[in-house]
Coordinates of all heavy atoms in Angstrom, one line a residue:
M61 N 71.3 224.0 82.2 CA 72.3 224.3 83.2 C 73.4 223.2 83.0 O 73.2 222.1 82.9 CB 71.8 224.2 84.6 CG 72.8 224.5 85.6 SD 72.3 224.5 87.4 CE 70.6 224.0 87.4
S62 N 74.7 223.7 83.1 CA 75.8 222.8 82.9 C 76.1 222.1 84.3 O 76.1 222.8 85.3 CB 77.0 223.6 82.4 OG 78.1 222.8 82.5
M63 N 76.4 220.9 84.3 CA 76.8 220.2 85.5 C 78.3 220.0 85.6 O 78.8 219.6 86.6 CB 76.2 218.8 85.5 CG 74.7 218.9 85.6 SD 73.8 217.3 85.5 CE 74.7 216.3 86.8
A64 N 79.0 220.4 84.6 CA 80.5 220.3 84.7 C 81.1 221.3 83.7 O 80.5 221.7 82.8 CB 80.9 218.9 84.3
S65 N 82.3 221.7 84.1 CA 83.0 222.6 83.2 C 84.2 221.9 82.7 O 84.8 221.1 83.4 CB 83.4 223.9 84.0 OG 84.2 223.6 85.0
V66 N 84.6 222.3 81.5 CA 85.8 221.6 80.9 C 86.8 222.7 80.6 O 86.4 223.7 80.0 CB 85.4 220.9 79.7 CG1 86.6 220.2 79.0 CG2 84.4 219.8 80.0
S67 N 88.0 222.5 80.9 CA 89.1 223.4 80.5 C 90.3 222.6 80.2 O 90.4 221.5 80.5 CB 89.4 224.4 81.6 OG 89.9 223.8 82.8
S68 N 91.2 223.2 79.4 CA 92.4 222.5 79.1 C 93.6 223.3 79.6 O 93.5 224.5 79.8 CB 92.5 222.3 77.6 OG 92.5 223.6 76.9
A69 N 94.7 222.6 79.9 CA 95.9 223.2 80.4 C 97.1 222.4 79.9 O 96.9 221.2 79.7 CB 95.8 223.3 81.9
S70 N 98.2 223.0 79.8 CA 99.4 222.2 79.5 C 99.7 221.4 80.8 O 99.4 221.8 81.9 CB 100.5 223.1 79.1 OG 100.8 224.0 80.1
F71 N 100.4 220.3 80.6 CA 100.6 219.4 81.7 C 102.0 218.8 81.5 O 102.3 218.3 80.5 CB 99.5 218.3 81.7 CG 99.6 217.4 82.9 CD1 99.2 217.8 84.2 CD2 100.1 216.1 82.8 CE1 99.3 217.0 85.2 CE2 100.2 215.3 83.8 CZ 99.8 215.7 85.1
C72 N 102.7 218.8 82.6 CA 104.1 218.2 82.6 C 104.0 216.7 83.0 O 103.7 216.5 84.2 CB 105.0 219.0 83.4 SG 106.7 218.2 83.5
Y73 N 104.2 215.8 82.2 CA 104.1 214.4 82.5 C 105.4 213.9 83.2 O 105.3 212.8 83.8 CB 103.9 213.5 81.2 CG 102.5 213.6 80.7 CD1 102.2 214.6 79.8 CD2 101.5 212.8 81.1 CE1 100.9 214.7 79.3 CE2 100.2 212.8 80.6 CZ 99.9 213.8 79.7 OH 98.7 213.9 79.2
S74 N 106.4 214.6 83.2 CA 107.7 214.1 83.7 C 107.7 213.9 85.2 O 108.4 213.1 85.7 CB 108.8 215.1 83.4 OG 108.6 216.3 84.0
K75 N 106.8 214.6 86.0 CA 106.8 214.5 87.4 C 105.5 213.8 87.9 O 105.1 213.9 89.1 CB 106.9 215.8 88.1 CG 108.3 216.4 87.9 CD 108.4 217.7 88.6 CE 109.7 218.4 88.5 NZ 109.8 219.6 89.1
S76 N 104.7 213.3 87.0 CA 103.4 212.7 87.5 C 103.2 211.3 87.0 O 103.8 210.8 86.1 CB 102.3 213.6 86.9 OG 102.2 213.5 85.5
R77 N 102.2 210.7 87.7 CA 101.7 209.4 87.3 C 100.2 209.5 87.3 O 99.6 210.1 88.1 CB 102.2 208.3 88.4 CG 103.6 208.0 88.3 CD 104.0 207.1 89.4 NE 105.4 206.6 89.3 CZ 105.7 205.4 88.9 NH1 104.8 204.5 88.7 NH2 107.0 205.1 88.8
I78 N 99.6 208.8 86.3 CA 98.2 208.8 86.2 C 97.7 207.4 86.5 O 98.1 206.5 85.7 CB 97.7 209.3 84.9 CG1 98.2 210.8 84.7 CG2 96.2 209.2 84.7 CD1 98.0 211.3 83.3
G79 N 96.9 207.2 87.5 CA 96.3 205.9 87.8 C 97.4 204.9 88.1 O 97.2 203.7 87.9
G80 N 98.6 205.3 88.6 CA 99.6 204.4 89.0 C 100.4 203.9 87.8 O 101.3 203.1 88.0
V81 N 100.1 204.3 86.6 CA 100.8 203.9 85.4 C 101.8 205.0 85.0 O 101.4 206.2 84.9 CB 99.9 203.6 84.3 CG1 100.6 203.2 83.0 CG2 98.9 202.5 84.7
K82 N 103.0 204.7 84.9 CA 104.0 205.7 84.4 C 103.8 206.0 83.0 O 103.7 205.1 82.1 CB 105.4 205.2 84.6 CG 106.5 206.2 84.4 CD 107.8 205.7 84.8 CE 108.9 206.8 84.6 NZ 110.2 206.4 85.0
P83 N 103.5 207.3 82.6 CA 103.2 207.6 81.2 C 104.4 207.5 80.3 O 105.6 207.6 80.8 CB 102.7 209.1 81.3 CG 103.4 209.6 82.6 CD 103.5 208.5 83.5
N84 N 104.1 207.4 79.1 CA 105.2 207.4 78.0 C 105.6 208.8 77.8 O 104.8 209.5 77.1 CB 104.7 206.7 76.8 CG 105.7 206.6 75.7 OD1 106.7 207.4 75.7 ND2 105.5 205.7 74.8
I85 N 106.6 209.3 78.3 CA 107.0 210.7 78.3 C 107.2 211.2 76.9 O 106.8 212.2 76.5 CB 108.2 211.0 79.2 CG1 107.9 210.7 80.6 CG2 108.7 212.4 79.0 CD1 109.0 210.7 81.6
A86 N 107.9 210.4 76.1 CA 108.3 210.8 74.7 C 107.0 211.0 73.9 O 106.9 212.0 73.2 CB 109.2 209.8 74.1
A87 N 106.0 210.2 74.1 CA 104.8 210.3 73.3 C 103.8 211.4 73.9 O 103.1 211.9 73.1 CB 104.1 208.9 73.3
A88 N 103.9 211.7 75.2 CA 103.0 212.5 75.8 C 103.3 214.0 75.8 O 102.5 214.9 75.9 CB 102.8 212.1 77.2
R89 N 104.6 214.4 75.6 CA 105.0 215.8 75.7 C 104.2 216.8 75.0 O 103.8 217.8 75.5 CB 106.5 215.9 75.3 CG 107.3 215.8 76.5 CD 108.7 216.3 76.3 NE 109.5 216.0 77.5 CZ 110.5 215.3 77.5 NH1 111.1 214.8 76.4 NH2 111.1 215.0 78.7
P90 N 103.9 216.6 73.7 CA 103.2 217.7 73.0 C 101.7 217.8 73.3 O 101.1 218.7 72.8 CB 103.5 217.4 71.5 CG 103.7 215.9 71.5 CD 104.3 215.6 72.8
R91 N 101.2 216.9 74.0 CA 99.7 216.9 74.3 C 99.3 217.9 75.4 O 100.1 218.3 76.2 CB 99.3 215.5 74.6 CG 99.5 214.5 73.5 CD 98.9 213.2 73.9 NE 99.1 212.3 72.8 CZ 99.0 211.0 72.8 NH1 98.6 210.5 74.0 NH2 99.2 210.2 71.8
S92 N 98.0 218.1 75.5 CA 97.5 218.9 76.6 C 96.6 218.1 77.4 O 96.1 217.0 77.0 CB 96.8 220.2 76.1 OG 95.7 219.8 75.3
L93 N 96.3 218.5 78.7 CA 95.4 217.8 79.6 C 94.1 218.5 79.6 O 94.0 219.7 79.7 CB 96.0 217.8 81.0 CG 95.2 217.2 82.1 CD1 95.1 215.7 81.9 CD2 95.8 217.5 83.4
V94 N 93.0 217.7 79.5 CA 91.6 218.3 79.6 C 91.2 218.0 81.1 O 91.2 216.9 81.6 CB 90.7 217.6 78.6 CG1 89.2 218.0 78.9 CG2 91.1 217.8 77.2
V95 N 90.8 219.1 81.7 CA 90.3 219.0 83.1 C 88.8 219.2 83.2 O 88.3 220.1 82.6 CB 91.0 220.2 84.0 CG1 90.5 220.1 85.4 CG2 92.5 220.1 83.9
V96 N 88.2 218.2 83.8 CA 86.7 218.2 84.0 C 86.4 218.4 85.4 O 86.8 217.7 86.3 CB 86.1 216.9 83.5 CG1 84.5 217.0 83.7 CG2 86.4 216.7 82.0
R97 N 85.7 219.5 85.8 CA 85.3 219.8 87.1 C 83.8 219.6 87.3 O 83.0 220.2 86.6 CB 85.7 221.2 87.5 CG 87.1 221.5 87.6 CD 87.4 222.9 88.2 NE 88.8 223.1 88.2 CZ 89.5 223.8 87.3 NH1 88.9 224.4 86.3 NH2 90.8 224.0 87.4
A98 N 83.4 218.8 88.3 CA 82.0 218.6 88.6 C 81.6 219.8 89.5 O 82.3 220.2 90.4 CB 81.8 217.3 89.3
E99 N 80.4 220.4 89.3 CA 79.9 221.5 90.1 C 78.9 220.9 91.1 O 78.2 220.0 90.7 CB 79.3 222.5 89.2 CG 80.3 223.2 88.3 CD 79.6 224.2 87.3 OE1 78.4 224.3 87.4 OE2 80.4 224.7 86.5
A100 N 78.8 221.5 92.3 CA 77.8 221.1 93.2 C 76.4 221.3 92.6 O 76.2 222.4 92.0 CB 78.0 221.8 94.5
Q101 N 75.5 220.4 92.8 CA 74.2 220.5 92.3 C 73.2 220.3 93.4 O 73.3 219.4 94.2 CB 74.0 219.5 91.2 CG 72.7 219.7 90.5 CD 72.5 218.7 89.3 OE1 73.2 217.6 89.3 NE2 71.7 219.0 88.4
A102 N 72.1 221.1 93.4 CA 71.1 221.0 94.4 C 70.4 219.7 94.2 O 70.1 219.2 93.1 CB 70.1 222.1 94.2
I103 N 70.1 219.0 95.3 CA 69.4 217.7 95.3 C 67.9 218.0 95.1 O 67.2 217.1 94.5 CB 69.6 216.9 96.6 CG1 69.3 215.5 96.3 CG2 68.9 217.5 97.8 CD1 69.7 214.5 97.5
N104 N 67.4 219.1 95.5 CA 66.0 219.5 95.3 C 65.8 220.5 94.2 O 66.1 221.7 94.4 CB 65.5 220.0 96.7 CG 64.0 220.5 96.6 OD1 63.4 220.3 95.6 ND2 63.6 221.2 97.6
P105 N 65.3 220.1 93.1 CA 65.2 221.0 91.9 C 64.1 222.0 92.0 O 64.1 223.0 91.5 CB 65.1 220.1 90.7 CG 64.5 218.8 91.3 CD 65.0 218.7 92.7
E106 N 62.9 221.6 92.7 CA 61.8 222.5 92.6 C 60.8 222.5 93.8 O 59.9 223.3 93.8 CB 61.0 222.2 91.3 CG 60.5 220.8 91.3 CD 59.8 220.4 89.9 OE1 60.3 220.9 88.9 OE2 58.8 219.7 90.0
I107 N 61.0 221.6 94.7 CA 60.0 221.5 95.8 C 60.2 222.6 96.9 O 61.2 222.7 97.5 CB 60.1 220.1 96.5 CG1 59.8 219.0 95.4 CG2 59.1 220.0 97.7 CD1 60.1 217.6 95.9
R108 N 59.1 223.4 97.0 CA 59.1 224.5 98.1 C 60.4 225.3 98.2 O 60.9 225.4 99.3 CB 58.7 223.8 99.4 CG 57.3 223.2 99.4 CD 57.0 222.1 100.3 NE 57.4 222.4 101.7 CZ 57.3 221.4 102.6 NH1 56.9 220.2 102.3 NH2 57.7 221.7 103.8
K109 N 60.9 225.7 97.1 CA 62.2 226.4 97.0 C 62.1 227.8 97.7 O 63.2 228.4 97.9 CB 62.6 226.6 95.6 CG 63.0 225.3 94.9 CD 64.1 224.5 95.6 CE 65.4 224.9 95.1 NZ 66.5 224.0 95.7
T110 N 61.0 228.3 98.1 CA 60.9 229.6 98.8 C 61.2 229.4 100.3 O 61.5 230.4 100.9 CB 59.5 230.3 98.6 OG1 58.5 229.3 99.1 CG2 59.2 230.6 97.2
E111 N 61.2 228.2 100.7 CA 61.5 227.9 102.1 C 63.0 227.8 102.3 O 63.7 227.2 101.5 CB 60.8 226.6 102.6 CG 59.3 226.7 102.5 CD 58.6 225.4 102.9 OE1 59.2 224.6 103.7 OE2 57.6 225.1 102.3
E112 N 63.5 228.3 103.5 CA 65.0 228.1 103.7 C 65.4 226.7 103.9 O 66.5 226.3 103.5 CB 65.3 228.9 105.0 CG 66.8 228.9 105.3 CD 67.2 229.7 106.5 OE1 66.5 230.8 106.7 OE2 68.1 229.3 107.2
K113 N 64.5 225.9 104.5 CA 64.8 224.5 104.7 C 63.4 223.7 104.7 O 62.5 224.1 105.4 CB 65.5 224.2 106.0 CG 65.8 222.8 106.4 CD 66.7 222.6 107.5 CE 66.4 223.5 108.7 NZ 67.3 223.2 109.8
V114 N 63.3 222.7 103.9 CA 62.1 221.9 103.8 C 62.1 220.9 104.9 O 62.9 219.9 104.8 CB 61.9 221.3 102.4 CG1 60.7 220.4 102.3 CG2 62.0 222.3 101.3
V115 N 61.2 221.0 105.8 CA 61.1 220.0 106.9 C 59.7 219.6 107.0 O 58.8 220.4 107.0 CB 61.6 220.6 108.3 CG1 61.4 219.6 109.4 CG2 63.0 221.1 108.2
D116 N 59.4 218.3 107.1 CA 58.1 217.8 107.2 C 58.0 216.9 108.5 O 59.0 216.3 108.9 CB 57.7 216.9 106.0 CG 57.7 217.6 104.7 OD1 57.0 218.7 104.7 OD2 58.4 217.2 103.8
S117 N 56.8 216.9 109.1 CA 56.6 216.1 110.3 C 55.5 215.2 110.1 O 54.5 215.5 109.5 CB 56.3 217.1 111.5 OG 57.4 217.9 111.7
V118 N 55.6 214.0 110.7 CA 54.5 213.0 110.7 C 54.3 212.7 112.2 O 55.2 212.3 112.9 CB 54.9 211.8 109.9 CG1 53.8 210.7 110.0 CG2 55.2 212.1 108.5
M119 N 53.0 212.8 112.7 CA 52.7 212.4 114.0 C 52.5 210.9 114.1 O 51.8 210.3 113.4 CB 51.4 213.1 114.5 CG 51.5 214.6 114.5 SD 52.9 215.3 115.4 CE 52.4 215.0 117.0
V120 N 53.3 210.3 115.0 CA 53.3 208.8 115.2 C 53.0 208.5 116.6 O 53.7 209.0 117.5 CB 54.6 208.2 114.7 CG1 54.6 206.7 114.8 CG2 54.9 208.6 113.2
A121 N 52.1 207.6 116.9 CA 51.7 207.4 118.3 C 52.7 206.5 119.0 O 53.0 206.7 120.2 CB 50.3 206.7 118.3
E122 N 53.3 205.5 118.3 CA 54.2 204.6 119.0 C 55.6 204.7 118.6 O 56.1 204.0 117.6 CB 53.7 203.1 118.8 CG 52.3 202.9 119.4 CD 51.9 201.5 119.3 OE1 52.7 200.6 119.2 OE2 50.7 201.3 119.3
L123 N 56.3 205.6 119.2 CA 57.8 205.8 119.0 C 58.5 205.7 120.3 O 57.9 206.1 121.3 CB 58.1 207.1 118.3 CG 57.7 207.3 116.9 CD1 57.9 208.7 116.4 CD2 58.5 206.4 116.0
S124 N 59.7 205.2 120.3 CA 60.4 205.1 121.6 C 60.9 206.4 122.1 O 61.0 206.7 123.2 CB 61.6 204.1 121.5 OG 62.5 204.5 120.5
K125 N 61.3 207.3 121.1 CA 61.8 208.6 121.4 C 60.7 209.7 121.1 O 59.9 209.5 120.2 CB 63.0 208.9 120.6 CG 64.2 208.1 121.0 CD 65.4 208.7 120.2 CE 66.3 207.6 119.7 NZ 67.4 208.1 118.9
P126 N 60.7 210.8 121.7 CA 59.8 211.9 121.4 C 60.0 212.5 120.0 O 59.0 212.9 119.4 CB 60.0 213.0 122.4 CG 61.1 212.5 123.3 CD 61.5 211.2 122.9
L127 N 61.2 212.4 119.5 CA 61.5 213.0 118.2 C 62.6 212.2 117.5 O 63.7 212.0 118.1 CB 61.9 214.5 118.3 CG 62.3 215.2 117.0 CD1 61.2 215.4 116.1 CD2 62.9 216.5 117.4
T128 N 62.4 211.8 116.2 CA 63.4 211.1 115.5 C 63.5 211.8 114.1 O 62.5 211.9 113.4 CB 63.1 209.6 115.3 OG1 62.9 209.0 116.6 CG2 64.2 208.9 114.6
A129 N 64.7 212.2 113.7 CA 64.9 212.9 112.4 C 65.5 211.9 111.4 O 66.6 211.3 111.7 CB 65.8 214.1 112.6
Y130 N 64.8 211.7 110.3 CA 65.3 210.9 109.2 C 65.9 211.7 108.1 O 65.3 212.7 107.6 CB 64.2 210.0 108.7 CG 63.9 208.8 109.6 CD1 63.0 209.0 110.7 CD2 64.5 207.6 109.5 CE1 62.7 208.0 111.6 CE2 64.3 206.6 110.4 CZ 63.4 206.8 111.4 OH 63.1 205.7 112.3
C131 N 67.0 211.3 107.6 CA 67.7 212.0 106.5 C 67.0 211.9 105.2 O 66.5 210.9 104.8 CB 69.2 211.4 106.4 SG 70.1 212.2 105.0
R132 N 67.0 213.1 104.5 CA 66.4 213.1 103.1 C 67.4 213.7 102.2 O 67.1 213.9 101.0 CB 65.1 213.9 103.1 CG 64.0 213.3 103.9 CD 62.7 213.9 103.6 NE 62.7 215.4 104.0 CZ 61.7 216.2 103.8 NH1 60.6 215.7 103.3 NH2 61.8 217.4 104.2
C133 N 68.7 214.0 102.7 CA 69.7 214.6 101.8 C 70.7 213.6 101.3 O 71.5 213.9 100.4 CB 70.4 215.8 102.5 SG 71.6 215.2 103.7
W134 N 70.7 212.4 101.8 CA 71.6 211.3 101.4 C 73.0 211.6 101.7 O 73.9 211.1 101.1 CB 71.4 211.0 99.9 CG 70.0 210.5 99.7 CD1 68.9 211.3 99.3 CD2 69.5 209.2 99.8 NE1 67.8 210.5 99.2 CE2 68.1 209.2 99.5 CE3 70.1 208.0 100.2 CZ2 67.3 208.1 99.5 CZ3 69.3 206.8 100.2 CH2 68.0 206.9 99.8
R135 N 73.3 212.4 102.7 CA 74.7 212.7 103.1 C 75.0 212.4 104.6 O 76.1 212.7 105.0 CB 75.0 214.2 102.8 CG 75.2 214.4 101.3 CD 74.8 215.8 100.9 NE 75.1 215.9 99.4 CZ 74.2 215.6 98.5 NH1 73.0 215.1 98.9 NH2 74.5 215.7 97.2
S136 N 74.0 211.9 105.3 CA 74.2 211.6 106.7 C 75.2 210.5 106.9 O 75.2 209.5 106.3 CB 72.9 211.3 107.3 OG 73.1 210.9 108.7
G137 N 76.1 210.7 107.9 CA 77.0 209.6 108.4 C 76.3 208.6 109.2 O 76.8 207.5 109.5
T138 N 75.0 208.8 109.6 CA 74.2 207.9 110.4 C 73.0 207.5 109.7 O 72.0 207.2 110.3 CB 73.9 208.5 111.8 OG1 73.1 209.7 111.6 CG2 75.1 208.8 112.6
F139 N 73.0 207.6 108.3 CA 71.8 207.3 107.5 C 71.2 206.0 107.9 O 71.9 205.0 108.2 CB 72.2 207.2 106.0 CG 71.0 207.3 105.1 CD1 70.5 208.5 104.7 CD2 70.4 206.2 104.7 CE1 69.5 208.6 103.8 CE2 69.3 206.3 103.8 CZ 68.8 207.5 103.4
P140 N 69.9 205.8 108.1 CA 68.8 206.8 107.6 C 68.5 207.9 108.6 O 67.7 208.7 108.3 CB 67.6 205.8 107.5 CG 67.8 204.8 108.5 CD 69.3 204.6 108.6
L141 N 69.2 208.0 109.7 CA 69.0 209.1 110.6 C 69.7 210.3 110.2 O 70.8 210.2 109.7 CB 69.3 208.7 112.1 CG 68.6 207.4 112.6 CD1 69.1 207.1 114.0 CD2 67.1 207.7 112.6
C142 N 69.2 211.5 110.5 CA 69.8 212.7 110.2 C 70.9 213.0 111.2 O 70.7 212.8 112.4 CB 68.8 213.8 110.2 SG 69.4 215.5 110.1
D143 N 72.1 213.5 110.7 CA 73.1 213.9 111.6 C 73.5 215.4 111.5 O 74.5 215.8 112.0 CB 74.4 213.0 111.5 CG 75.1 213.2 110.2 OD1 74.6 214.0 109.3 OD2 76.2 212.6 110.0
G144 N 72.7 216.1 110.7 CA 72.9 217.5 110.5 C 73.8 217.8 109.3 O 74.0 219.0 109.0
S145 N 74.2 216.8 108.6 CA 75.0 217.0 107.4 C 74.3 217.8 106.3 O 74.9 218.4 105.4 CB 75.4 215.7 106.8 OG 76.2 215.0 107.7
H146 N 73.0 217.9 106.3 CA 72.2 218.7 105.4 C 72.6 220.2 105.4 O 72.5 220.9 104.4 CB 70.7 218.5 105.5 CG 70.2 218.9 106.9 ND1 70.1 218.1 107.9 CD2 69.8 220.1 107.3 CE1 69.6 218.7 109.0 NE2 69.4 220.0 108.6
V147 N 73.0 220.7 106.6 CA 73.4 222.1 106.8 C 74.6 222.4 105.9 O 74.6 223.4 105.1 CB 73.7 222.4 108.3 CG1 74.2 223.8 108.4 CG2 72.5 222.2 109.1
K148 N 75.6 221.6 105.9 CA 76.8 221.8 105.1 C 76.5 221.7 103.6 O 76.9 222.5 102.8 CB 77.9 220.7 105.5 CG 79.2 220.9 104.7 CD 80.2 219.8 105.2 CE 81.4 219.9 104.4 NZ 82.4 218.8 104.7
H149 N 75.6 220.7 103.3 CA 75.2 220.5 101.9 C 74.4 221.8 101.4 O 74.7 222.3 100.3 CB 74.3 219.3 101.8 CG 73.5 219.2 100.5 ND1 74.1 218.9 99.3 CD2 72.2 219.5 100.2 CE1 73.2 218.9 98.3 NE2 72.1 219.3 98.9
N150 N 73.5 222.3 102.2 CA 72.7 223.5 101.8 C 73.6 224.7 101.6 O 73.4 225.4 100.7 CB 71.7 223.8 102.9 CG 70.5 222.8 102.9 OD1 70.4 222.0 101.9 ND2 69.7 222.8 103.9
K151 N 74.6 224.9 102.5 CA 75.5 226.0 102.3 C 76.4 225.9 101.1 O 76.6 226.8 100.4 CB 76.5 226.1 103.6 CG 75.8 226.7 104.8 CD 76.7 226.9 105.9 CE 76.0 227.5 107.1 NZ 76.8 227.5 108.3
A152 N 76.8 224.7 100.8 CA 77.7 224.4 99.6 C 76.9 224.6 98.3 O 77.5 225.0 97.3 CB 78.3 223.1 99.7
T153 N 75.6 224.2 98.3 CA 74.9 224.2 97.0 C 73.8 225.2 96.9 O 73.3 225.3 95.8 CB 74.2 222.8 96.9 OG1 73.3 222.6 97.9 CG2 75.3 221.7 96.9
G154 N 73.4 225.8 98.0 CA 72.2 226.7 97.9 C 70.9 226.0 98.0 O 69.8 226.5 97.7
D155 N 71.0 224.7 98.3 CA 69.8 223.8 98.4 C 69.1 224.1 99.7 O 69.6 224.9 100.5 CB 70.3 222.4 98.3 CG 69.3 221.5 97.7 OD1 68.1 221.9 97.6 OD2 69.6 220.3 97.3
N156 N 67.9 223.5 99.9 CA 67.2 223.7 101.1 C 66.6 222.4 101.7 O 65.5 222.4 102.3 CB 66.0 224.7 100.8 CG 65.0 224.1 99.8 OD1 65.3 223.1 99.2 ND2 63.8 224.8 99.8
V157 N 67.3 221.4 101.5 CA 66.8 220.1 102.1 C 67.0 220.0 103.6 O 67.8 220.6 104.2 CB 67.6 218.9 101.4 CG1 67.3 218.8 99.9 CG2 69.1 218.9 101.7
G158 N 66.1 219.3 104.2 CA 66.1 219.0 105.6 C 65.5 217.7 105.9 O 65.0 217.0 105.0
P159 N 65.5 217.3 107.2 CA 65.1 215.9 107.6 C 63.6 215.7 107.6 O 62.8 216.7 107.7 CB 65.7 215.8 109.0 CG 65.7 217.1 109.5 CD 66.0 218.0 108.4
L160 N 63.1 214.5 107.6 CA 61.8 214.1 108.0 C 61.7 213.9 109.5 O 62.5 213.1 110.0 CB 61.3 212.8 107.2 CG 60.0 212.2 107.7 CD1 58.8 213.1 107.4 CD2 59.8 210.8 107.1
L161 N 60.9 214.6 110.2 CA 60.8 214.5 111.6 C 59.6 213.6 112.0 O 58.5 213.9 111.6 CB 60.7 215.9 112.3 CG 61.8 216.9 112.0 CD1 61.4 218.2 112.7 CD2 63.1 216.4 112.4
L162 N 59.9 212.5 112.7 CA 58.8 211.7 113.3 C 58.7 212.1 114.8 O 59.7 212.0 115.5 CB 59.2 210.2 113.2 CG 59.2 209.7 111.8 CD1 59.4 208.1 111.8 CD2 58.0 210.0 110.9
K163 N 57.5 212.6 115.1 CA 57.3 213.0 116.5 C 56.3 212.1 117.2 O 55.2 211.8 116.6 CB 56.7 214.5 116.5 CG 57.6 215.5 115.9 CD 57.0 216.8 115.8 CE 58.0 217.9 115.2 NZ 57.3 219.2 115.1
K164 N 56.6 211.7 118.4 CA 55.7 210.9 119.2 C 54.5 211.7 119.6 O 54.7 212.8 120.2 CB 56.5 210.3 120.4 CG 55.6 209.3 121.2 CD 56.5 208.7 122.3 CE 55.7 207.6 123.0 NZ 56.6 206.9 123.9
Q165 N 53.3 211.2 119.3 CA 52.1 211.9 119.6 C 51.9 211.9 121.1 O 51.9 210.8 121.8 CB 51.0 211.3 118.9 CG 49.8 212.2 118.8 CD 48.8 211.7 117.7 OE1 48.9 210.6 117.3 NE2 47.9 212.6 117.3
K166 N 51.5 213.0 121.7 CA 51.2 213.1 123.2 C 49.8 212.5 123.4 O 48.9 212.7 122.6 CB 51.3 214.5 123.6 CG 52.7 215.0 123.6 CD 52.8 216.5 124.0 CE 54.2 216.9 123.8 NZ 54.4 218.3 124.0
E167 N 49.7 211.7 124.5 CA 48.4 211.0 124.7 C 47.6 211.8 125.7 O 48.0 212.7 126.3 CB 48.7 209.6 125.3 CG 49.4 208.8 124.3 CD 49.9 207.5 124.9 OE1 49.2 206.9 125.7 OE2 51.0 207.0 124.4
Ligands
FES333 FE1 70.4 214.5 105.7 FE2 69.9 215.9 107.8 S1 71.7 214.8 107.4 S2 68.6 215.6 106.2

């Protein structure tokens, strides 16, 4: 599976700057630009792919909250806690990652 696609296109250097450096217009005119596009890739290549979302729970006796979700997709703005960012990632990539849920055990 390819992780990136490459295409070429003609490019006008007269109105652009690359990396803040003004290009040498006379030397650059006859050249073409190679465009490399990264494609979204699933973070989970093979684990329980038949499930819509992989969620695991661990029963823990001493937690301050009844439920704490820990991120496993590496996209949370509140990492290591889950903020729901896995939903957007799953939609964009077709992936099925979800959080690790720590649940306070009832006594
Ligand atoms: Fe990463 Fe929920 S935000 S698993």
